Amino acid sequence: GGLYISQGNKLWYLPVSGGTPGTMQEVTVAGLDAIDADGISWDDANNALYYATNDTGDPANVGTVYELVFSDATTASGREVATGLDDSSGLWYYENDGKRYVYVLESQFGALFGINGFEPPFNIAIIELGEIISSVGNLLEETSNIIVSPNPFNQITNFEIELTEGGDFQLQVFNLKGELVSNQKVKMSQGINSIYFDGTALNSGIYNYRLVNNTGFKSGKIVIVR
């Protein structure tokens, strides 16, 4: 549904729908003051992003790996996974035999600037993250069911939402530019819930919806016809 980009010590999300980019949105990250990603790899099952960072101009800051776990596309919590790496750059998230790993390139890039030498080895560090736990970052995707009827619709439609656990939710609707055009805050209970959506003020076209709570999100499309 989009791209993550590191720029200006911040993380940005660029939504993409049907090949059309939307509006760049800043990602709010709890637990980290700055995001300077030199390499990015995504763990789809856990809604997690891993990245490496380094400062080739500072021999004391030779490389660190971080983890971001997302509750929705633009909200995440971050933590440090490993430090003390040698000029870390690219990395790769990998699963094997029930375990999770990050493979990190220690490129010794600082050698090009005379900060350290070209002593071997040029290394790939393997960091074990632990056992595979499916979908810990997006439980809502697996534990909810959404039926939109009618769809397409002219003015008003109904979201029938089946939940295994109730609570506070947001029903968000975005246009194809990634702009938020509607945000309903609703409290729902376990079982089947109905939410009416009024699209009278919106133009004809395709829109993306997202049901969000603190365990993740579930998304889909609606179509308005006039």
Side-chain angles (χ1 to χ4, degrees):
L3 305 173
Y4 286 104
I5 302 160
S6 172
Q7 183 68 30
N9 286 327
K10 295 181 179 180
L11 188 68
W12 305 86
Y13 175 67
L14 178 65
V16 178
S17 180
T20 302
T23 301
M24 193 87 78
Q25 304 169 44
E26 183 179 347
V27 178
T28 301
V29 180
L32 298 176
D33 295 328
I35 308 293
D36 181 17
D38 199 10
I40 292 176
S41 188
W42 180 257
D43 168 13
D44 189 57
N46 296 288
N47 270 5
L49 181 153
Y50 295 90
Y51 70 92
T53 185
N54 71 76
D55 185 349
T56 56
D58 180 3
N61 183 9
V62 291
T64 306
V65 173
Y66 296 90
E67 175 192 65
L68 305 182
V69 178
F70 288 77
S71 56
D72 60 54
T74 58
T75 307
S77 59
R79 72 181 182 96
E80 183 181 288
V81 173
T83 190
L85 300 168
D86 194 355
D87 292 326
S88 57
S89 52
L91 56 72
W92 176 42
Y93 174 82
Y94 180 66
E95 296 179 357
N96 183 53
D97 196 25
K99 294 186 181 297
R100 305 159 59 235
Y101 303 88
V102 173
Y103 286 51
V104 187
L105 173 63
E106 294 184 289
S107 64
Q108 298 202 33
F109 188 60
L112 300 180
F113 299 93
I115 296 168
N116 56 13
F118 283 98
E119 299 87 359
F122 287 75
N123 187 48
I124 294 179
I126 301 175
I127 301 167
E128 185 173 337
L129 300 172
E131 302 291 332
I132 295 174
I133 304 174
S134 299
S135 300
V136 298
N138 195 8
L139 293 175
L140 192 61
E141 172 69 30
E142 291 192 352
T143 60
S144 64
N145 183 49
I146 301 176
I147 298 173
V148 184
S149 181
N151 189 27
F153 64 98
N154 181 273
Q155 293 182 323
I156 297 174
T157 191
N158 179 65
F159 284 79
E160 184 179 279
I161 303 170
E162 185 175 6
L163 301 170
T164 57
E165 185 175 342
D168 295 321
F169 296 80
Q170 296 180 65
L171 180 61
Q172 302 171 333
V173 177
F174 301 84
N175 62 23
L176 290 183
K177 294 182 179 180
E179 298 167 337
L180 182 66
V181 297
S182 176
N183 187 18
Q184 298 184 49
K185 295 181 179 181
V186 293
K187 183 179 288 290
M188 292 189 286
S189 58
Q190 180 182 353
I192 297 176
N193 302 260
S194 291
I195 300 176
Y196 286 94
F197 175 75
D198 187 349
T200 305
L202 300 178
N203 296 326
S204 299
I206 300 172
Y207 294 82
N208 297 308
Y209 71 80
R210 181 180 294 152
L211 181 69
V212 181
N213 73 348
N214 59 4
T215 68
F217 65 92
K218 190 176 182 72
S219 59
K221 295 184 182 297
I222 55 176
V223 180
I224 298 176
V225 294
R226 296 282 189 258

